[in-house]
């Protein structure tokens, strides 16, 4: 329901990545003096009483105002994190986000949760990674019902760890880019920082935004 917290809702932050392309823990990167993980927690806190962080290294996250759980499967990858998060909550609808998406907008998440009833998943589509101008799903910024878990576990047991492949087996309510852009015109919520170059671009954006703000004063 609009504006309510803790009514069958939970959030899952996926922090179990191997950080191969970045070479360091992305959750602890900093933007404009604020840690990525804190930025995400602050965006989610107005909506969720239960925020779960899934990781292979739970000892690193002691002291954060989240419920920390370790990956429950040996297989690596975001699918393992999503399943582990779904196993840790009794809430039907759960918002999942990767820890490298620090510019998440609370209003976008609220809209997605409002659109969740009667679907297995709510997944936005953007052109963020597209080379052919086609909108593609963002499965690591999505709402999943707990009933998705058996399908996900079957894929994992069969060695099919692609989240993109899993969602093709679900009843997904896709949100077109234009719908999400009404709440986040620049689509900053979907800016994931996977490489050092991504991080440099984010920092450059921050300096540009700060400069524009100062000039407007």
């Amino acid at each position: 329901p609009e504006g309510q917290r803790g009514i069958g809702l939970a959030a899952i932050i996926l922090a179990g990545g191997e950080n191969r392309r970045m070479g360091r823990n992305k959750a602890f990167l900093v933007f404009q003096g604020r840690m990525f993980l804190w930025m995400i927690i602050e965006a989610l806190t107005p909506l969720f009483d239960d925020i779960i962080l899934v990781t292979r290294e739970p000892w690193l996250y002691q002291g954060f105002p989240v419920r920390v759980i370790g990956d429950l499967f040996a297989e690596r990858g975001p699918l393992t994190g999503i399943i582990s998060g779904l196993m840790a909550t009794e809430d039907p609808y759960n918002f999942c986000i990767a820890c490298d998406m620090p510019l998440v907008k609370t209003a976008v998440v609220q809209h997605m949760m409002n659109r969740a009833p009667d679907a297995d998943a709510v997944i936005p589509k953007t052109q963020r990674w597209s080379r052919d101008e086609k909108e593609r799903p963002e499965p690591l910024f999505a709402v999943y019902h707990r009933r998705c878990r058996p399908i996900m576990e079957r894929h994992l047991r069969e060695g099919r760890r692609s989240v993109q492949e899993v969602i093709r087996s679900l009843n997904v309510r896709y949100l077109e880019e234009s719908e999400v852009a009404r709440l986040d015109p620049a689509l900053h919520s979907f800016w994931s920082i996977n490489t050092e170059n991504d991080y440099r671009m984010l920092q450059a954006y921050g300096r540009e935004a700060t400069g524009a703000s100062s000039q407007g004063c």
Side-chain angles (χ1 to χ4, degrees), residues 8-23:
L9 312 175
I12 299 168
I13 301 173
L14 306 173
E18 297 182 74
N19 303 301
R20 287 179 178 174
R21 287 186 286 173
M22 176 62 70

Side-chain angles (χ1 to χ4, degrees), residues 2-153:
E2 188 78 39
Q4 294 191 22
R5 296 178 57 190
I7 310 299
L9 312 175
I12 299 168
I13 301 173
L14 306 173
E18 297 182 74
N19 303 301
R20 287 179 178 174
R21 287 186 286 173
M22 176 62 70
R24 48 184 164 151
N25 192 323
K26 294 183 286 186
F28 298 148
L29 295 177
V30 174
F31 175 65
Q32 294 185 328
R34 301 167 65 210
M35 187 185 297
F36 281 16
L37 181 54
W38 276 114
M39 295 173 70
I40 295 170
I41 292 171
E42 289 168 5
L44 299 181
T45 295
L47 302 179
F48 304 102
D49 287 328
D50 189 16
I51 300 177
I52 302 164
L53 185 140
V54 185
T55 175
R56 292 184 295 110
E57 302 172 307
W59 57 88
L60 294 178
Y61 300 92
Q62 302 306 312
F64 287 93
V66 296
R67 184 154 58 99
V68 180
I69 65 169
D71 280 333
L72 300 179
F73 301 89
E75 292 85 353
R76 302 289 177 87
L79 184 59
T80 292
I82 295 172
I83 298 171
S84 299
L86 293 179
M87 292 180 72
T89 175
E90 295 298 322
D91 294 319
Y93 292 103
N94 304 271
F95 175 72
C96 292
I97 181 172
C99 69
D100 60 2
M101 305 178 84
L103 303 184
V104 52
K105 300 289 189 293
T106 304
V108 173
V109 180
Q110 175 72 78
H111 180 70
M112 291 172 62
M113 297 301 294
N114 290 341
R115 298 276 279 143
D118 304 319
D120 292 335
V122 178
I123 303 178
K125 297 170 74 175
T126 75
Q127 296 184 24
R128 184 168 60 97
W129 299 117
S130 176
R131 296 180 179 178
D132 54 11
E133 298 185 353
K134 290 184 179 179
E135 295 181 3
R136 304 192 187 282
E138 299 276 358
L140 302 188
F141 189 105
V143 177
Y144 293 103
H145 195 283
R146 287 187 72 248
R147 62 175 167 261
C148 298
R149 203 185 79 196
I151 297 173
M152 293 177 171
E153 287 187 70

